[in-house]
Amino acid sequence: MEPAVPAPPAPPAAAWRRALDAVLYSSVWLSVAALGLMWATFLFWGVHISVRLGGLIFAATLFLYNLDSVLPYKHGQLPGATRRKQWIRAHRPQLLALTVAAGAVAGGLYLTDARLRPLTLFGGHLALISMLYSMPLVRRQGRWWALRDLPLLKVFLIAYVWAAVTVWIPALYLGRAWASPVVLVLFARRFLLILALALVFDIRDYSKDRLTGTRTFPGLLGVGATKWLGLAALLGAALLVPAGVSAGHAVALVLPLALAAAVLWYAEESRPDYYFALLTDGVMVVQFVAVWLAVS
């Protein structure tokens, strides 16, 4: 028997694409975005972010978003043919291991930071919403329904949880009142930014949501009207500049909204997965980088 001939190494472009797929579809990039938005809030007050809190938010985001991918009931849903869904189906064992590891890290970081204990009740309700967002609760019409399936609710749930995690938790961690005017302004503009970005993903899922009976804004209003709704949210965010910030910081808060507007306006269901996983989520990373450059 002749010795087996080793397979030729993968071209550099293919290796880079596999690495990019792993970062995007394992929710690592999204977790970086969550960390970046929280860090931007700390930078607003000129305070260094807590390493434990930052690590907790990164790990918790990684845990919650990958949990959605490995839930057993997901196996019975329509498989879809997008690159993202194909990657997730092919890497479920690895995603399960990553989910368990991220959950363990998040739990360990929480238990070792005494400053997080007073936030248990507040953080707990955010964790509960996040868990129930995709968790099957009621079986109707032959399929499981979760919170996200309630008509028009999912974009508001996403915006609320992300704004609360990246604005209210840093404020409470630093001993600031969650209802103080400056904190409420930061929360409102973050809520409106995430709401607009969530509408982009509703546009992506337009056909799937119609097939599954999930009522979303594109299904109710149409894609065009949904884009105008998102632009209105971004305009509201642009007008909510906190009092007392420097001109450079104000520009850093507003300019990424223009990128978000462009991403929203050109969003189509037929766009490749990278448009959503890399570019749309990347708006949040750009927001952090802009603020970091403005205050450094």
Side-chain angles (χ1 to χ4, degrees):
M1 181 181 293
E2 296 183 0
V5 178
W16 274 107
R17 184 157 187 170
R18 286 200 300 270
L20 181 60
D21 286 352
V23 170
L24 295 179
Y25 303 144
S26 66
S27 296
V28 169
W29 180 239
L30 187 65
S31 302
V32 169
L35 174 59
L37 285 182
M38 171 175 276
W39 198 339
T41 303
F42 277 92
L43 290 174
F44 174 81
W45 283 303
V47 178
H48 291 293
I49 188 173
S50 161
V51 174
R52 279 196 179 93
L53 180 58
L56 171 61
I57 294 305
F58 178 88
T61 305
L62 201 59
F63 168 75
L64 290 168
Y65 274 85
N66 281 310
L67 181 66
D68 179 58
S69 300
V70 300
L71 286 172
Y73 89 103
K74 285 282 186 175
H75 294 242
Q77 291 187 340
L78 293 173
T82 65
R83 185 178 182 88
R84 171 180 171 271
K85 291 181 180 179
Q86 291 172 351
W87 189 94
I88 289 173
R89 287 199 302 272
H91 295 85
R92 271 207 172 96
Q94 295 91 331
L95 286 176
L96 178 59
L98 181 61
T99 302
V100 172
V105 170
L109 289 170
Y110 168 76
L111 293 173
T112 55
D113 192 340
R115 295 180 66 182
L116 288 172
R117 308 294 167 74
L119 303 182
T120 299
L121 185 60
F122 182 81
H125 97 279
L126 297 175
L128 182 62
I129 293 173
S130 300
M131 294 282 289
L132 296 180
Y133 175 79
S134 293
M135 193 71 68
L137 299 175
V138 179
R139 189 173 179 83
R140 292 181 55 195
Q141 300 175 354
R143 76 177 185 93
W144 287 102
W145 289 65
L147 278 181
R148 60 169 291 158
D149 297 311
L150 295 176
L152 307 181
L153 185 62
K154 68 176 184 175
V155 291
F156 295 105
L157 289 175
I158 294 169
Y160 172 73
V161 170
W162 274 75
V165 167
T166 61
V167 174
W168 274 344
I169 284 184
L172 295 173
Y173 190 83
L174 295 173
R176 300 175 184 272
W178 69 270
S180 64
V182 66
V183 174
L184 288 180
V185 167
L186 290 172
F187 175 86
R189 74 183 320 275
R190 188 66 51 77
F191 179 93
L192 293 171
L193 168 63
I194 302 301
L195 179 66
L197 296 179
L199 290 173
V200 174
F201 289 96
D202 267 3
I203 293 171
R204 180 196 67 180
D205 296 336
Y206 175 70
S207 293
K208 186 195 77 172
D209 286 334
R210 291 190 68 184
L211 286 172
T212 58
T214 302
R215 298 184 64 185
T216 62
F217 282 102
L220 180 66
L221 304 177
V223 171
T226 298
K227 291 181 179 181
W228 284 109
L229 178 63
L231 291 178
L234 292 173
L235 177 60
L239 296 175
L240 290 171
V241 177
V245 299
S246 66
H249 198 155
V251 171
L253 289 173
V254 172
L255 276 183
L257 300 177
L259 174 60
V263 169
L264 172 65
W265 188 252
Y266 291 104
E268 300 293 343
E269 188 179 10
S270 58
R271 294 286 185 189
D273 284 333
Y274 286 171
Y275 186 90
F276 303 98
L278 179 61
L279 186 58
T280 307
D281 288 340
V283 170
M284 296 181 280
V285 179
V286 170
Q287 177 71 87
F288 159 71
V289 173
V291 172
W292 183 75
L293 291 174
V295 302
S296 62

